[in-house]
Amino acid sequence: MIEVKQLSKMFGTTLAVDNIDFTANSGEIFGLLGPNGAGKSTTINCISGLTNATEGSVEINGFNISSDGVKAKQSLGLVPQELALYEDLSAHENLLFWGSAYGLGGEELEQRIQQVLQNVGLENRQKEAVKQFSGGMKRRLNFACAILHKPAALLLDEPTVGVDPQSREHLLSAIEDLKKAGTSVIYTTHYMEEAERLCDKLAIIDQGKIIASGTVDDLRAQVGERDLITLKGHFKNTGESSHFDELNAEVLEFSDDEIRFLIADASNKLTDVLSIVEKNFGKVAHVSIQQANLESLFIKLTGRALRDDA
Ligand SMILES: Nc1ncnc2c1ncn2[C@@H]1O[C@H](COP(=O)(O)OP(=O)(O)O)[C@@H](O)[C@H]1O
Ligand SMILES: [Mg+2]
């Protein structure tokens, strides 16, 4: 179990993490979903003891990370955002190195190495030097290194960024297996699809603060059974919102080139939407309709998209 209480971290005058609380129980994946710079890595680094929190406390299986660091770390595995691998060594040699760092050795370590290689689908590549691996294979090995000692609590900091679909699937299913085996997992990501698939509970984090939290269903309920329509084109905001009120739509974002709003039963209302927008605000060049999801909630709460490319 991982318990984070009133955690804050200042870097100079930057408040990177602002008074956050959450708990990941055994057999539970807790997600921290937020854009770049939200404070996800800083939170992970405070939990793992790499960074000293400015305020608040972290307990891993009842052991405080600052006053009982050695015991707390024994049951902790960390997959950092940056790879921590020796490129010139083989996958197997990297695992031997990490295993001995955890105090494992002999036949027990060799068995664990073969087990974790199998978990991430790298058993046939174990003799190859890491520098020959693809980015996705390196991420899988990075993950394998972190779970060698069967940690009861596991911290994963954006483990799937830049990986190919096959590696991503290997990683996600390995994480699901650990959850089933009772591990407490904290998972940071800016991919809302991953958060929706994996997380039992999650917190949406922005500018160091938790702005919403709960189960995926709790969070979806905050946007309701509505669809998200995104219109791209050239618009002029006349400040006249009654046109949208007429459609029973909630406008989340209105800029010169983009309008986003939530609306029930979008596909049936699209003709009305387009004629009202074109009559009042300008030409529509592109339309997309999505089911309301965590991304819609993020836009609703912050007025911004979660991803740069969204
Ligand atoms: N070592 C550091 N020194 C100063 N500022 C930092 C440091 N690490 C992170 N920050 C700042 O803290 C904020 C949160 O960063 P980070 O935790 O890396 O976000 P995320 O992982 O969500 O992208 C950002 O404004 C970042 O610039
Ligand atoms: Mg980060």
Side-chain angles (χ1 to χ4, degrees):
M1 176 165 145
I2 304 168
E3 252 186 310
V4 174
K5 287 189 189 144
Q6 295 172 358
L7 184 76
S8 293
K9 175 67 186 180
M10 297 277 289
F11 290 110
T13 55
T14 308
L15 187 54
V17 174
D18 188 359
N19 194 23
I20 67 174
D21 289 87
F22 60 84
T23 302
N25 291 310
S26 171
E28 199 167 72
I29 303 179
F30 185 89
L32 275 177
L33 175 69
N36 276 336
K40 302 181 298 296
S41 294
T42 305
T43 302
I44 293 289
N45 293 342
C46 290
I47 297 172
S48 71
L50 277 177
T51 300
N52 289 321
T54 309
E55 273 178 60
S57 70
V58 172
E59 285 190 3
I60 320 278
N61 282 346
F63 298 109
N64 187 288
I65 194 71
S66 26
S67 57
D68 236 336
V70 175
K71 285 199 177 115
K73 283 175 194 169
Q74 275 167 357
S75 46
L76 192 66
L78 168 65
V79 181
Q81 192 171 353
E82 305 301 329
L83 293 169
L85 298 170
Y86 292 97
E87 294 267 329
D88 288 322
L89 299 183
S90 68
H92 188 267
E93 287 164 336
N94 268 279
L95 287 160
L96 274 177
F97 171 83
W98 282 107
S100 45
Y102 296 131
L104 302 172
E107 189 50 35
E108 185 198 4
L109 175 56
E110 188 52 37
Q111 276 175 11
R112 269 306 286 163
I113 289 176
Q114 294 312 319
Q115 177 66 53
V116 296
L117 283 165
Q118 212 177 3
N119 293 148
V120 298
L122 286 175
E123 64 273 40
N124 298 327
R125 310 294 294 268
Q126 58 182 290
K127 301 285 180 221
E128 289 174 42
V130 167
K131 63 185 170 201
Q132 289 163 14
F133 280 9
S134 70
M137 289 162 68
K138 287 180 190 175
R139 290 254 159 227
R140 278 144 70 185
L141 180 60
N142 209 37
F143 175 86
C145 291
I147 59 167
L148 262 179
H149 59 309
K150 297 192 182 166
L154 182 64
L155 309 174
L156 301 162
D157 195 4
E158 305 217 43
T160 61
V161 167
V163 310
D164 55 283
Q166 190 198 358
S167 287
R168 175 181 300 246
E169 193 46 46
H170 272 294
L171 280 168
L172 296 186
S173 64
I175 294 164
E176 284 165 339
D177 289 346
L178 289 174
K179 166 193 148 88
K180 278 184 210 134
T183 311
S184 311
V185 179
I186 295 183
Y187 190 94
T188 83
T189 184
H190 64 276
Y191 298 125
M192 65 100 196
E193 305 87 342
E194 286 187 356
E196 289 189 337
R197 162 166 168 187
L198 283 180
C199 300
D200 299 292
K201 290 186 301 193
L202 60 114
I204 300 183
I205 178 170
D206 188 44
Q207 296 177 348
K209 282 197 177 65
I210 292 180
I211 56 172
S213 63
T215 63
V216 173
D217 287 343
D218 291 340
L219 293 172
R220 276 214 197 103
Q222 293 195 27
V223 279
E225 288 290 310
R226 293 183 288 176
D227 302 310
L228 174 72
I229 296 191
T230 304
L231 304 177
K232 297 201 188 228
H234 295 288
F235 308 115
K236 202 166 160 246
N237 190 351
T238 54
E240 186 54 74
S241 64
S242 59
H243 300 300
F244 287 100
D245 295 345
E246 206 179 306
L247 291 163
N248 221 349
E250 182 184 357
V251 180
L252 303 182
E253 194 182 359
F254 197 133
S255 68
D256 294 347
D257 54 7
E258 195 164 81
I259 308 175
R260 290 180 200 248
F261 49 92
L262 294 169
I263 190 166
D265 195 20
S267 44
N268 284 322
K269 292 197 189 138
L270 198 56
T271 326
D272 291 348
V273 164
L274 290 177
S275 75
I276 289 177
V277 169
E278 296 220 310
K279 198 162 110 202
N280 297 287
F281 303 113
K283 190 119 191 66
V284 176
H286 183 265
V287 180
S288 77
I289 303 181
Q290 285 169 277
Q291 271 193 326
N293 52 29
L294 295 182
E295 176 95 41
S296 331
L297 177 60
F298 188 80
I299 299 166
K300 179 179 152 97
L301 294 172
T302 67
R304 283 175 288 116
L306 198 49
R307 271 192 261 175
D308 308 332
D309 58 344

